[in-house]
Amino acid sequence: YPDTKIYFLSLKAAIHQQLNQFDDALNVYHSAIKNAEEFYANQNLNLIYEYINYSIFLTQNEKLNQAQNVLDQANKIFNQHNINEGKLYALYLKTVGFHLERKLVQTNDYNDFVQEKSSNLYEAINYYKDALKSLGMGADDLQKLSGSVSNSLSLTQSLELLKLIADTYTRITDIYADPEHPKRNEAVRDAFNFYELTTNLLHQARKEIYSDENKIQLGELEEATHLKIIQTAWKANSLNQLPGIAELAFSASEQMKASSLFDRLSEQLARNNSIIPDSITQRERTLNYSITTLNENLYNLRHDETNNETEIAKLDSTLFQLKKQRDELYQYIEDNHADYYEMKYSNSMLTIEEVKQNLKSNEVVIEYVLNEKDSIPELYAFYISSDEYGFYKLNVDSSFIPSLTETFSFLSSPSFLFAGNSNSINYCISANGLYKTLLQPFEDKIRDKKLTIIPDGKLSYLPFEALLTELPDTTGLVQFNKLSYLIKRNTINYSYSVNLLYKFKRHNRTSKKKLLAFAPTYSSDTIHFDNETLILPPLPGVQKEVELVGNELKSNLFIGPDATEENFRNECQNYDILHLAMHAFINDSMPAYSRFAFTQNEESDSDNDGWLNTADIYNLDLNARLTVLSACNTGRGKLRKGEGIMSLARGFLYAGCPSIIMSLWEVEDNAGTEIMHSFYQSVKKGINTDEALRQAKLKYLENANTRLAHPHYWLGYVSIGNSDPLFRSYDYYFFGIIFLLLIALAADQILLRRRSVNRHI
């Protein structure tokens, strides 16, 4: 079909453009426009899409005069149709603004350059604001603008334009060499105003989205905005007249992390701590689901070749009515159930001061933001203790990401025993280099402190315990049991975000039953799914592991044929601690279908087919305070922007369990059993879960020979989430007994005195 051919040519031209094949792209764009002009009438609005695409290509390749001519042709069509509003016109205005931003300034005089370049950028901003107006949003008054999002013809376009305005103000700040120049300071303030407005509207959009997957996609869009805020905040960090810069950057960093998980737990907290009728929350869910479904149907209809205008109009009308009903419901909830509304929909994040108040004197939080978009990565860090905080930009170069990759590959490789000494030396060099980059700037502040690490990007795969505080002698064989691992200095815990850690504290235990453990048996079964084949080799150590665990705590153990998915589903809500020792398989292409392998059977019932996937875990409602995932790779998965690693462990946090012990690679059978046994011995004594895991690892390392001390054996387990003790410390009972003895002794002395007085009388 002619219109399909035009679309095909546009895509082909864009591909050549991405491959930097300028001449090929130019020829295909010409072909696309020629076909469009032949198929459509000369003044047809559909031509504008081709003109806009072509002009962007020309602008990006600095053919600015040609690009301007193409934009003039597009403008003539708008004038012919007397169009000065709508989504297409907004796209045109945005493209004009982009053209102005790239406009070259031909002068060698610095002052002339600053004046002309800033003039072009301010003019571009005006075009972006006009584009917002054409979408139904006025951009002159920020207060009015923030309330007009529901009137926008396209929320996505509006958000993109708001971010462009903020980005362009940021570009203006880069023009002025003098950091105290008033126009620079004014541009910084304007940039932050529009960034803040963008994030507020993004938050407003989040509450209108029903599905977790859609929230994750929105999180990916949010990340670019929040990263720009952090970059701009760092540039403006020296401006004393802009208070709260670090606070704004920290809030942006938090909103880049696990946002859909935060939304889910906010909803749970709101339901658990508010008196609101189930009928209202059910109505809320139904409306959100219906609106999401209608939006998807409309999208499909509008991209269908039949283009049924009657059906589209009908769905548009229904969608309008549903959104109106939802707005009315939100208003009712806000007026009549303010506590529920505030907990679920408030955009408030913990301030740095509130985080400080949550920290004990021996605790430190370090939160990272890693930007890999540019050729040389950027790394920002927030350091927070009970009495101080700092906002830093750490020194990294192009070797930083390769060092991360090399370190993790060495630690996690299944063929680690066959690695030569040269590989071990490279690990020592990279692990020490990463320590110098990531933690040495805070070395004096973190000495002997418990560290809570909030990683970002590829840092999420790195066990910080494996970093080396000193570089060993690399002229001989590397002795793994003598290396200066960070774990020897610090207890280390992890969290997806500070708000997830402190806003959703471990709830009071509601389950009297202590521990539920599962250890299936396998017979080297080969399982075939749609596009993958999974092999289940035996794990002889897992039965011994859960039996040892069962000796430490009052437990219910499901071993061998009893370790079924059905038994887990029936029992998991009734226990304080869950322990899964079994195979796990990661599906990077579809994270919702990563799965645990329970005892296999041939039942067709999906609730007892032997496979528990991440999507199933999301639908559980757990009372457990701790889940131990003593299975392979439970902390691994696909890295999603704005969310972090989409792992099996994340599913248990989503289901309401605030504390997880997970594995970053394939667990070695015997070492895993030994570490888990030691871990539960410490947990039973009332030790924090992160410190209990640290002690178990150090105990293993102390008793291991050089070969068995390889980090692959013992560093794979990490603690994530709330690490408060699960049981009262033995010290509590000891001091309790001492206290009672002192009372008894005091009472005995009082009785002796009374008897002495009575004798004298």
Side-chain angles (χ1 to χ4, degrees):
Y1 297 100
D3 54 342
T4 307
K5 183 178 181 181
I6 295 165
Y7 187 46
F8 164 76
L9 290 169
S10 296
L11 289 173
K12 187 178 180 183
I15 291 168
H16 284 304
Q17 183 177 348
Q18 288 294 318
L19 295 172
N20 295 317
Q21 298 167 349
F22 176 82
D23 291 337
D24 291 328
L26 187 66
N27 291 333
V28 179
Y29 271 122
H30 285 165
S31 182
I33 289 176
K34 181 181 177 182
N35 277 269
E37 289 173 341
E38 289 175 356
F39 179 65
Y40 301 115
N42 283 339
Q43 300 302 323
N44 192 294
L45 290 171
N46 286 299
L47 281 172
I48 290 174
Y49 289 106
E50 305 309 318
Y51 290 148
I52 286 175
N53 289 335
Y54 185 38
S55 71
I56 292 172
F57 164 73
L58 292 170
T59 299
Q60 287 176 332
N61 287 279
E62 298 185 359
K63 306 293 183 182
L64 298 175
N65 291 333
Q66 295 177 45
Q68 184 62 59
N69 292 335
V70 174
L71 287 172
D72 289 342
Q73 288 179 271
N75 193 37
K76 285 179 184 177
I77 298 176
F78 282 122
N79 291 334
Q80 284 280 339
H81 291 272
N82 198 27
I83 292 174
N84 57 10
E85 62 181 11
K87 291 191 283 188
L88 182 57
Y89 192 65
L91 181 61
Y92 160 76
L93 292 172
K94 173 192 158 190
T95 309
V96 175
F98 172 71
H99 180 264
L100 283 164
E101 281 199 57
R102 300 293 290 263
K103 194 173 179 180
L104 300 177
V105 176
Q106 304 292 342
T107 179
N108 293 323
D109 183 82
Y110 172 74
N111 292 326
D112 290 343
F113 169 81
V114 168
Q115 184 175 354
E116 189 173 343
K117 187 64 179 177
S118 61
S119 176
N120 291 341
L121 293 174
Y122 276 114
E123 192 176 356
I125 287 172
N126 288 333
Y127 271 96
Y128 296 146
K129 289 181 177 180
D130 287 342
L132 280 172
K133 291 176 184 176
S134 74
L135 291 171
M137 295 180 68
D140 295 327
D141 187 335
L142 288 177
Q143 197 71 27
K144 291 179 181 178
L145 185 59
S146 63
S148 63
V149 64
S150 59
N151 298 324
S152 173
L153 296 174
S154 171
L155 177 61
T156 305
Q157 273 184 274
S158 298
L159 289 169
E160 187 181 5
L161 286 163
L162 288 168
K163 181 180 175 297
L164 273 173
I165 292 170
D167 289 351
T168 311
Y169 276 125
T170 302
R171 288 193 64 192
I172 292 171
T173 67
D174 294 336
I175 296 173
Y176 295 95
D178 179 8
E180 300 298 325
H181 196 289
K183 286 191 176 180
R184 183 184 191 275
N185 297 345
E186 182 184 350
V188 168
R189 282 191 289 269
D190 287 336
F192 280 132
N193 285 336
F194 274 92
Y195 279 135
E196 192 169 11
L197 177 59
T198 307
T199 56
N200 289 340
L201 295 183
L202 281 165
H203 177 77
Q204 187 173 333
R206 292 192 67 80
K207 72 180 183 182
E208 298 177 1
I209 294 175
Y210 175 78
S211 73
D212 184 56
E213 180 60 29
N214 287 342
K215 284 181 182 290
I216 291 169
Q217 290 174 2
L218 184 64
E220 293 176 349
L221 294 173
E222 287 179 288
E223 189 203 34
T225 302
H226 297 315
L227 182 57
K228 272 290 187 181
I229 290 174
I230 293 166
Q231 290 173 318
T232 307
W234 178 253
K235 291 176 184 177
N237 204 32
S238 60
L239 300 179
N240 296 327
Q241 64 267 45
L242 289 176
I245 289 293
E247 192 75 64
L248 185 62
F250 178 68
S251 177
S253 173
E254 280 290 289
Q255 292 180 74
M256 289 171 67
K257 296 175 170 62
S259 49
S260 70
L261 183 56
F262 182 85
D263 289 346
R264 160 75 174 192
L265 295 178
S266 294
E267 183 177 6
Q268 285 181 337
L269 184 69
R271 285 206 308 265
N272 293 337
N273 293 278
S274 306
I275 302 174
I276 184 170
D278 290 341
S279 58
I280 294 178
T281 55
Q282 181 58 45
R283 175 65 174 159
E284 181 186 19
R285 285 193 294 272
T286 301
L287 280 170
N288 281 330
Y289 178 77
S290 299
I291 289 170
T292 300
T293 305
L294 265 180
N295 276 323
E296 290 172 357
N297 292 341
L298 270 169
Y299 176 85
N300 293 331
L301 268 176
R302 285 177 172 138
H303 289 76
D304 192 303
E305 290 185 359
T306 58
N307 205 9
N308 190 328
E309 294 294 339
T310 304
E311 185 65 22
I312 289 173
K314 181 180 176 182
L315 289 182
D316 262 329
S317 176
T318 305
L319 185 62
F320 175 80
Q321 293 299 326
L322 287 173
K323 285 184 175 180
K324 183 179 178 183
Q325 291 174 35
R326 184 173 62 184
D327 289 342
E328 291 171 352
L329 179 65
Y330 284 156
Q331 190 61 55
Y332 176 83
I333 294 173
E334 188 175 8
D335 292 342
N336 296 278
H337 302 281
D339 52 348
Y340 174 86
Y341 187 89
E342 175 66 20
M343 277 185 276
K344 183 173 180 182
Y345 293 126
S346 172
N347 196 24
S348 63
M349 291 290 205
L350 289 174
T351 64
I352 291 174
E353 193 59 40
E354 288 170 330
V355 176
K356 288 168 64 177
Q357 292 169 10
N358 274 283
L359 292 169
K360 298 174 183 175
S361 60
N362 66 333
E363 294 178 338
V364 164
V365 167
I366 301 178
E367 178 162 334
Y368 295 96
V369 176
L370 177 61
N371 171 27
E372 295 184 62
K373 296 180 185 297
D374 303 320
S375 56
I376 296 179
E378 293 179 322
L379 183 62
Y380 300 89
F382 300 89
Y383 168 88
I384 309 176
S385 68
S386 60
D387 55 5
E388 66 173 311
Y389 75 91
F391 176 31
Y392 301 83
K393 186 176 183 182
L394 304 179
N395 293 322
V396 295
D397 56 28
S398 57
S399 67
F400 179 70
I401 300 300
S403 291
L404 273 178
T405 305
E406 182 176 352
T407 302
F408 180 75
S409 296
F410 177 83
L411 295 170
S412 62
S413 173
S415 57
F416 66 97
L417 285 176
F418 303 102
N421 193 56
S422 60
N423 297 106
S424 301
I425 291 172
N426 288 337
Y427 156 69
C428 292
I429 294 170
S430 62
N432 178 246
L434 289 172
Y435 171 78
K436 289 178 178 177
T437 298
L438 295 166
L439 291 171
Q440 197 170 60
F442 318 108
E443 193 169 50
D444 293 336
K445 300 173 184 290
I446 65 175
R447 196 174 303 278
D448 300 322
K449 299 285 183 71
K450 169 187 167 177
L451 303 182
T452 295
I453 301 294
I454 315 294
D456 187 43
K458 288 188 174 70
L459 285 173
S460 304
Y461 294 110
L462 178 71
F464 278 59
E465 296 94 322
L467 302 183
L468 301 181
T469 58
E470 296 175 8
L471 184 65
D473 179 8
T474 57
T475 59
L477 288 175
V478 172
Q479 295 180 291
F480 289 112
N481 53 350
K482 295 182 179 179
L483 295 180
S484 57
Y485 301 105
L486 181 63
I487 193 174
K488 293 181 178 180
R489 286 192 186 180
N490 300 93
T491 301
I492 299 176
N493 190 45
Y494 301 86
S495 180
Y496 281 108
S497 77
V498 168
N499 278 270
L500 281 173
L501 187 63
Y502 293 121
K503 273 200 167 186
F504 308 103
K505 287 275 191 179
R506 179 178 283 153
H507 51 69
N508 293 327
R509 183 173 41 172
T510 58
S511 303
K512 293 182 179 179
K513 298 180 180 180
K514 290 286 190 298
L515 184 142
L516 176 69
F518 281 74
T521 52
Y522 308 106
S523 305
S524 295
D525 302 318
T526 300
I527 310 297
H528 298 282
F529 286 100
D530 292 339
N531 293 311
E532 59 180 332
T533 299
L534 305 179
I535 299 174
L536 300 176
L539 291 175
V542 296
Q543 286 83 25
K544 179 184 177 183
E545 178 180 315
V546 298
E547 287 171 355
L548 288 171
V549 169
N551 292 335
E552 299 299 331
L553 297 172
K554 184 179 179 181
S555 308
N556 191 4
L557 310 182
F558 288 87
I559 298 175
D562 295 326
T564 63
E565 179 192 1
E566 183 177 45
N567 283 336
F568 178 78
R569 287 179 180 275
N570 292 338
E571 298 289 339
C572 65
Q573 295 183 13
N574 304 320
Y575 286 82
D576 200 30
I577 302 171
L578 304 176
H579 185 101
L580 302 183
M582 58 185 63
H583 280 301
F585 297 92
I586 307 304
N587 187 328
D588 282 334
S589 60
M590 298 183 69
Y593 293 98
S594 295
R595 47 174 65 89
F596 288 100
F598 287 80
T599 294
Q600 298 297 292
N601 53 55
E602 297 182 359
E603 290 193 21
S604 58
D605 183 3
S606 61
D607 286 349
N608 193 35
D609 61 2
W611 298 98
L612 185 76
N613 61 41
T614 311
D616 295 328
I617 299 168
Y618 281 6
N619 291 318
L620 299 175
D621 189 9
L622 300 175
N623 290 308
R625 292 186 292 158
L626 171 67
T627 297
V628 178
L629 302 177
S630 185
C632 300
N633 299 306
T634 51
R636 288 185 67 177
K638 186 175 182 179
L639 187 64
R640 296 290 294 266
K641 294 176 181 177
E643 283 299 321
I645 295 176
M646 306 304 292
S647 65
L648 284 161
R650 181 182 183 276
F652 283 91
L653 289 167
Y654 198 96
C657 182
S659 181
I660 310 288
I661 302 295
M662 65 185 190
S663 59
L664 294 177
W665 50 76
E666 295 179 1
V667 178
E668 200 280 326
D669 219 11
N670 293 326
T673 297
E674 188 176 331
I675 289 171
M676 282 294 102
H677 186 209
S678 298
F679 168 73
Y680 279 105
Q681 286 179 325
S682 296
V683 166
K684 188 173 69 172
K685 296 176 184 177
I687 296 174
N688 288 43
T689 51
D690 52 6
E691 176 60 21
L693 185 60
R694 175 182 183 243
Q695 291 182 10
K697 291 176 179 178
L698 291 177
K699 181 180 178 182
Y700 174 89
L701 183 61
E702 185 180 347
N703 296 324
N705 59 36
T706 301
R707 184 180 68 84
L708 294 177
H710 190 291
H712 184 92
Y713 283 104
W714 57 277
L715 262 176
Y717 289 112
V718 296
S719 165
I720 183 168
N722 190 307
S723 62
D724 291 345
L726 293 166
F727 303 98
R728 291 190 186 278
S729 167
Y730 286 175
D731 292 342
Y732 175 87
Y733 296 107
F734 173 76
F735 287 118
I737 292 169
I738 295 295
F739 180 69
L740 291 174
L741 287 173
L742 289 173
I743 291 176
L745 184 62
D748 184 59
Q749 291 297 318
I750 292 171
L751 287 173
L752 286 174
R753 287 176 185 172
R754 285 182 177 176
R755 286 172 186 165
S756 176
V757 170
N758 289 336
R759 287 196 191 100
H760 287 296
I761 292 173

